[in-house]
Amino acid sequence: MTKISPQTEDMVFENSALAVSADVSFVSNQFPKYKLGPDNQIVEVPRDDNSGPTLKEVVERETTQLSEQHKRLSVRDLACKFDKNLTAAAKLASEAKIKESPSLEGHVLLKKLRDALESLRGRMTGRNKEDVEKAISMVEALAVKLTQKEGELIQGKFEVKKLANFLKQTSEDAKKLVNQEKSFACAEIESARVVVQRFGEALALEELERNSDNSKTKDVEGLVEEVQEARRIKQLHQPSKVMGMEHELRALRAQIREKSIVSFKLQKELAMSKRAEENKSSIYLITGSETLGSCLRLQPCSIQVPELSKCSVQWFRVSSDDCHKEAISGANKAMYAPEPFDIGRVLQAEILSNGQKFTVSTAGLIEPASGLGSYVDSLLRKSNCEFSVVISQMNGQDHPSHSSHVFTVGKMRIKLCRGWITKAREIYSASVQLCGFRGEGNNAAKQLFWQPRRGLSYLLTFSSERERNAAIMVARKHALECNVLLRGPDDQV
């Protein structure tokens, strides 16, 4: 007897997840009953029992229901549904395995029955033989029908297995999605809880500060009222005594102020006398007015001392309390013209001759020139300050021309020009240097050293000492506003 097995085709599932209901009722695993109908056709005898729908109908019905409901289901509901359908698929697979054994038994029985009928047909004759042949044809028809049912069962089993695998993978994806959404939700809840806690703490702190401010304000107002009331009562009882105490207090303040001035003058005179005593023992002395705009010169006290031209000289700035001493770079001549940086300091000169060092200092502090402060304040109110100058040297060499130039000090840059021709122009930067001239000469107090950039320097002579010092002070003020400190060559910053 030949066994016919139909070809199975893979079902194409849609992208949406399909599920099988867990409460499906499947057909029983009993062998069906058949009978011969008209024209010798085999007809299946209907069973009286109320069997459930077929697997295909169940899948189609469940697919329709899920297609209608999947938009309304949340991720958690889908995960639960997938778990239920996975259980149902496992149950369906077990039932399919149970149906395999009756199918095999049916083929064996039909084969045995056919063999028995074949043996009977050889021994029968006449009408009995026809009945046996009819029975054999009926058995063969039953075998074909059983094979068809078995093919449908194999195809259903394949579909159920594929659906179970798909549901299992979908269930795992849904669980991962649920866990991810849960972690995201927990993180958002935690961040929201932290924000709410911070807001609560801020509100509590603000409320506490408001309450403390209110209480402090009330306390202060109460104290002020009590003090005012006490003063009013005191003035009512002893008005003349209170007024007398106030006059005495004013007199004491005035006396303290006068004593402070006198004490400062005494300290200054004491320091001057101390330096004078030190200078008496020195073989050199400093001559000249100790004010800005003058020139200080070193002179020997006797003819027996070495000549200054044969000695090494270095000028220093010393603080008023003798705590800080700064060497003035380039000031190594017997003459020095003070500049604005020297105001309020003591100038000191060290003379080195034949291995011996002699020190001489100014008697007092360098005083500012009269009227220079108000003049500088008036210049600072302008956007640009122009000064008439003459170029004495350029890059350390004497300049042949003595024509007049204009030296402009602005808020952002310094410029030197002659008419429409600009000789140099530079903004305030670390490479710019500006200071008083630190050499010798009759015009040293009127001269200014200016280096706009590396490799280019000028020695400018102003019309007066006040113009030179005012230009230095204005330029340093504007440079300081640009976070630049204008100093001389090799000065300590």
Side-chain angles (χ1 to χ4, degrees):
M1 184 174 60
T2 305
K3 183 178 179 181
I4 301 174
S5 60
Q7 297 179 356
T8 60
E9 298 180 358
D10 295 342
M11 293 182 64
V12 179
F13 294 95
E14 296 179 355
N15 292 332
S16 60
L18 303 179
V20 181
S21 176
D23 53 355
V24 179
S25 60
F26 298 93
V27 295
S28 62
N29 54 358
Q30 296 179 359
F31 193 80
K33 297 180 180 180
Y34 301 94
K35 68 177 180 178
L36 287 175
D39 297 331
N40 293 327
Q41 293 183 357
I42 300 174
V43 180
E44 183 177 355
V45 179
R47 291 187 294 269
D48 295 336
D49 56 335
N50 297 326
S51 61
T54 62
L55 174 63
K56 189 174 182 180
E57 293 175 354
V58 171
V59 172
E60 290 178 355
R61 185 178 64 186
E62 293 294 333
T63 303
T64 304
Q65 292 179 359
L66 288 177
S67 298
E68 294 175 355
Q69 296 180 4
H70 81 281
K71 293 183 179 180
R72 302 193 301 269
L73 293 176
S74 64
V75 178
R76 190 182 299 276
D77 296 335
L78 285 175
C80 297
K81 194 73 176 177
F82 284 137
D83 291 337
K84 292 181 180 179
N85 293 337
L86 188 61
T87 305
K91 182 178 179 181
L92 189 62
S94 62
E95 291 182 356
K97 289 181 180 179
I98 295 174
K99 288 183 178 182
E100 288 182 358
S101 56
S103 175
L104 294 174
E105 294 177 358
H107 280 290
V108 172
L109 293 175
L110 287 177
K111 187 176 183 307
K112 291 181 178 181
L113 181 59
R114 187 178 182 282
D115 294 340
L117 291 175
E118 285 289 343
S119 61
L120 287 174
R121 185 176 59 177
R123 292 180 293 177
M124 295 294 180
T125 57
R127 186 172 180 80
N128 292 330
K129 187 176 182 179
E130 293 178 357
D131 292 339
V132 171
E133 291 178 353
K134 187 182 292 186
I136 290 172
S137 61
M138 186 180 296
V139 169
E140 291 178 353
L142 287 174
V144 172
K145 191 70 173 180
L146 181 61
T147 303
Q148 292 178 356
K149 288 293 183 177
E150 186 179 6
E152 291 179 359
L153 182 62
I154 292 172
Q155 184 176 0
K157 178 182 177 182
F158 176 77
E159 292 176 358
V160 169
K161 185 177 181 180
K162 192 172 183 179
L163 182 60
N165 294 332
F166 182 78
L167 289 176
K168 183 177 180 180
Q169 182 65 32
T170 309
S171 177
E172 293 177 356
D173 295 341
K175 287 181 179 179
K176 292 180 180 179
L177 184 60
V178 169
N179 294 332
Q180 185 178 3
E181 293 295 332
K182 184 177 179 181
S183 62
F184 288 161
C186 291
E188 292 179 358
I189 292 171
E190 187 64 24
S191 61
R193 184 183 294 108
V194 172
V195 171
V196 170
Q197 185 177 0
R198 289 181 179 175
F199 272 112
E201 292 177 355
L203 291 175
L205 183 59
E206 184 179 359
E207 184 68 21
L208 183 60
E209 290 179 354
R210 191 184 297 111
N211 295 334
S212 62
D213 292 340
N214 294 335
S215 61
K216 288 180 180 179
T217 304
K218 292 179 181 178
D219 295 341
V220 171
E221 291 177 354
L223 290 175
V224 170
E225 291 177 358
E226 291 179 2
V227 171
Q228 291 178 353
E229 184 66 21
R231 287 180 178 176
R232 188 182 65 82
I233 294 173
K234 185 179 289 187
Q235 289 178 0
L236 288 175
H237 290 83
Q238 296 177 348
S240 59
K241 188 175 180 180
V242 173
M243 295 299 291
M245 292 177 65
E246 290 181 355
H247 287 300
E248 290 178 3
L249 186 58
R250 292 195 190 97
L252 288 173
R253 288 175 180 170
Q255 291 179 7
I256 292 172
R257 192 178 301 111
E258 293 176 358
K259 294 293 183 183
S260 298
I261 296 173
V262 172
S263 175
F264 179 74
K265 289 181 178 179
L266 289 174
Q267 289 179 0
K268 185 176 180 181
E269 292 176 359
L270 181 62
M272 291 174 63
S273 63
K274 183 179 179 180
R275 293 190 189 95
E277 290 293 334
E278 292 177 355
N279 292 335
K280 285 181 181 180
S281 61
S282 178
I283 60 177
Y284 297 95
L285 59 85
I286 297 176
T287 61
S289 177
E290 297 176 357
T291 58
L292 190 64
S294 64
C295 286
L296 302 177
R297 290 178 174 84
L298 290 173
Q299 289 185 357
C301 296
S302 63
I303 59 175
Q304 287 83 11
V305 298
E307 295 180 4
L308 290 171
S309 59
K310 299 179 181 180
C311 300
S312 175
V313 180
Q314 178 63 54
W315 290 82
F316 294 89
R317 295 188 188 99
V318 183
S319 60
S320 58
D321 54 359
D322 295 334
C323 293
H324 182 68
K325 184 177 180 180
E326 176 187 356
I328 304 174
S329 177
N332 49 16
K333 304 296 181 182
M335 186 181 68
Y336 176 71
E339 63 173 79
F341 263 141
D342 301 325
I343 296 176
R345 300 185 183 184
V346 176
L347 292 178
Q348 185 182 90
E350 289 185 357
I351 302 98
L352 185 62
S353 175
N354 297 326
Q356 294 181 348
K357 184 172 69 174
F358 305 96
T359 303
V360 60
S361 304
T362 56
L365 305 178
I366 301 300
E367 300 290 341
S370 178
L372 181 61
S374 58
Y375 180 56
V376 171
D377 291 339
S378 64
L379 294 178
L380 289 173
R381 287 192 285 269
K382 300 179 182 179
S383 59
N384 293 310
C385 302
E386 295 182 351
F387 304 92
S388 178
V389 298
V390 174
I391 300 177
S392 300
Q393 291 181 1
M394 181 176 178
N395 293 331
Q397 304 296 327
D398 293 339
H399 199 267
S401 174
H402 294 281
S403 58
S404 179
H405 292 69
V406 177
F407 186 69
T408 305
V409 179
K411 293 183 179 295
M412 300 298 296
R413 62 175 59 87
I414 300 176
K415 181 174 66 173
L416 178 65
C417 60
R418 179 186 177 188
W420 296 100
I421 302 173
T422 300
K423 292 293 187 67
R425 178 175 60 187
E426 192 67 28
I427 62 173
Y428 298 111
S429 63
S431 62
V432 177
Q433 296 179 359
L434 184 72
C435 65
F437 179 56
R438 298 171 180 175
E440 292 181 325
N442 296 328
N443 296 323
K446 299 179 182 179
Q447 291 178 336
L448 176 146
F449 174 80
W450 177 47
Q451 177 184 296
R453 57 183 176 273
R454 291 183 176 87
L456 179 62
S457 62
Y458 293 95
L459 181 62
L460 307 177
T461 302
F462 287 73
S463 59
S464 64
E465 294 83 354
R466 188 175 93 159
E467 294 289 319
R468 184 204 78 156
N469 296 324
I472 294 175
M473 296 175 70
V474 171
R476 285 175 176 169
K477 178 67 175 178
H478 291 326
L480 194 60
E481 292 176 353
C482 298
N483 295 326
V484 176
L485 185 62
L486 291 180
R487 303 294 295 265
D490 301 325
D491 281 351
Q492 297 180 0
V493 180

